């Protein structure tokens, strides 16, 4: 959500920022709605002021025992009731129209976000490790099927496309990955583990910027709740409508949860395998900071996510997303892309985003320094640390051997005691 006062002060800056995200100029439309709202407020205040003034005149007339004047003033009060009701409705309509217009617009990119229309404008920041050279690598689907531990057909019979059943050692490996990620983030990186609800109300989804624009990407229940597409929704909303002491910031939160996505906009994309599923596990990282802390926290969060892949010894690269490829709520986003031998490309496995005060304004989440009266909107950040299913895919493909087995990385040995490979008896 944007501050209309800031748009009034520099409408051109907002239009240029939105233009970098492929949008037509919006400031003039917003300012017209703002003018309509302020005019409605002025009219309402004038009618309310006149009502108060006439009420005093009635008292004065009765004190003078001038019942005729008092009756005339009473009649005017009755007429003002209708005027006030109409002006109140006009103000509410104008406020709603402005709020809806503001809510539909994405965040303003940070100054150092590269300008670009789509993923081709993204900028590579760094690479870690060389891609594994594997002779005729198999993809995770063929590997899992040959092991008898990955079953898309059984999942389709009960749930339809974009679901999978994992069995035996692969199911254990998935569980081990999630536990490893949680332990790393909580024990070494200072995140607090949270077990949040998986169903949330509409205002929670609105708060992180997924409503109203992305409703079709989510699963909606009949009692007006939404299945979370990421634990970011629940974790970030822990501070909604709260004033947090600045001395307690930054708050660093993490959760391992199932995530649910309709993938409505992904028809025909990644239909094979586990890359794009309706249901998957993910370890999410969320930070709540004071405004001046968020830039440094963003770099720290990125390093925390990258460390997962370093410990698993999976080659990856980090890219800075351009303005046309960033998420709706983000000011600045890094993507981490892991190497997949079967495709010969790097594929996204994490996004780490700084949202500034954009989500905080939608949630009314503020912070306050001890001894000071005023409050400020917090800054919110989120990142995947990591998507468990995609990490499983990358691990299977990068650690496969000529016999179709999957070697267990050193970092997971304590979670899978006595196992050297997936596929051994």
């Amino acid at each position: 959500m944007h501050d209309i006062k800031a748009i009034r002060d520099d409408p051109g800056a907002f239009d240029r920022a939105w233009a970098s995200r492929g949008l037509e100029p919006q400031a003039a439309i917003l300012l017209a709605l703002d003018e309509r709202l302020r005019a409605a407020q002025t009219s309402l205040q004038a009618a309310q002021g006149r009502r108060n003034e006439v009420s005093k005149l009635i008292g004065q007339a009765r004190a003078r025992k001038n019942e005729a004047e008092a009756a005339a003033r009473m009649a005017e009060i009755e007429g003002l009731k209708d005027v006030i009701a109409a002006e109140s409705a006009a103000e509410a309509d104008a406020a709603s129209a402005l709020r809806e217009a503001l809510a539909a617009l994405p965040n303003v990119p940070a100054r150092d976000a590269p300008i670009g229309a789509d993923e081709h404008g993204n900028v590579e920041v760094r690479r870690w490790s060389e891609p594994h050279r594997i002779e005729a690598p198999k993809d995770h689907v063929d590997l899992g099927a040959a092991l008898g531990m990955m079953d898309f057909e059984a999942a389709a019979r009960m749930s339809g496309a974009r679901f999978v059943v994992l069995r035996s050692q692969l199911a254990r490996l998935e569980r081990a990955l999630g536990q490893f990620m949680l332990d790393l983030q909580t024990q070494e990186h200072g995140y607090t583990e949270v077990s949040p609800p998986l169903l949330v109300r509409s205002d929670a989804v609105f708060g992180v910027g997924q409503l109203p624009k992305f409703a079709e990407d989510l699963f909606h229940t009949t009692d007006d709740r939404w299945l979370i597409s990421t634990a970011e929704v629940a974790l970030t909303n822990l501070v909604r409508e709260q004033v947090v002491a600045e001395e307690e910031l930054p708050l660093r939160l993490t959760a391992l949860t199932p995530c649910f996505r309709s993938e409505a906009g992904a028809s025909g994309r990644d239909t094979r395998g586990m890359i794009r599923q309706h249901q998957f596990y993910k370890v999410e990282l969320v930070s709540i900071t004071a405004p001046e802390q968020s830039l440094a926290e963003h770099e720290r969060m990125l390093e925390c996510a990258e460390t997962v892949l370093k410990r698993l010894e999976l080659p990856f690269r980090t890219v800075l997303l351009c303005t046309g490829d960033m998420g709706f709520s983000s000011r600045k986003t890094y993507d981490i892309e892991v190497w997949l031998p079967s495709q010969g490309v790097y594929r996204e496995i994490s996004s780490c985003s700084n949202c500034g005060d954009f989500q905080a304004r939608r949630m009314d989440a503020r912070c306050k320094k001890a001894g000071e009266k005023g409050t400020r909107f917090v800054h919110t950040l989120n990142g995947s640390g990591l998507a468990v299913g995609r990490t499983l895919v990358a691990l299977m493909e990068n650690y496969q051997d000529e016999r179709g087995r999957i070697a267990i990385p050193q970092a997971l040995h304590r979670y899978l005691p006595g196992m050297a490979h997936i596929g051994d008896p």
Side-chain angles (χ1 to χ4, degrees), residues 4-18:
I4 189 62
K5 294 180 182 178
I7 297 173
R8 281 187 218 135
D9 291 342
D10 195 351
F14 280 85
D15 274 341
R16 289 190 294 273
W18 286 320

Side-chain angles (χ1 to χ4, degrees), residues 123-128 302 306 309 316-321 333-338 346 350:
V123 176
E124 185 173 309
V125 176
R126 56 180 165 267
R127 295 191 181 198
W128 185 87
L302 175 64
E306 289 178 334
L309 293 175
F316 68 89
R317 70 171 190 160
T318 300
V319 299
L320 178 61
L321 299 196
T333 297
Y334 292 106
D335 270 8
I336 305 172
E337 299 176 349
V338 69
Y346 292 93
S350 172

Side-chain angles (χ1 to χ4, degrees), residues 9 39 63 73 87 95 118 124 140 186 220 229 276 317 331:
D9 291 342
R73 298 298 187 189
E87 295 295 350
D118 53 34
E124 185 173 309
H140 67 284
T186 56
H220 194 197
S229 60
R276 199 175 296 276
R317 70 171 190 160
R331 293 189 70 241

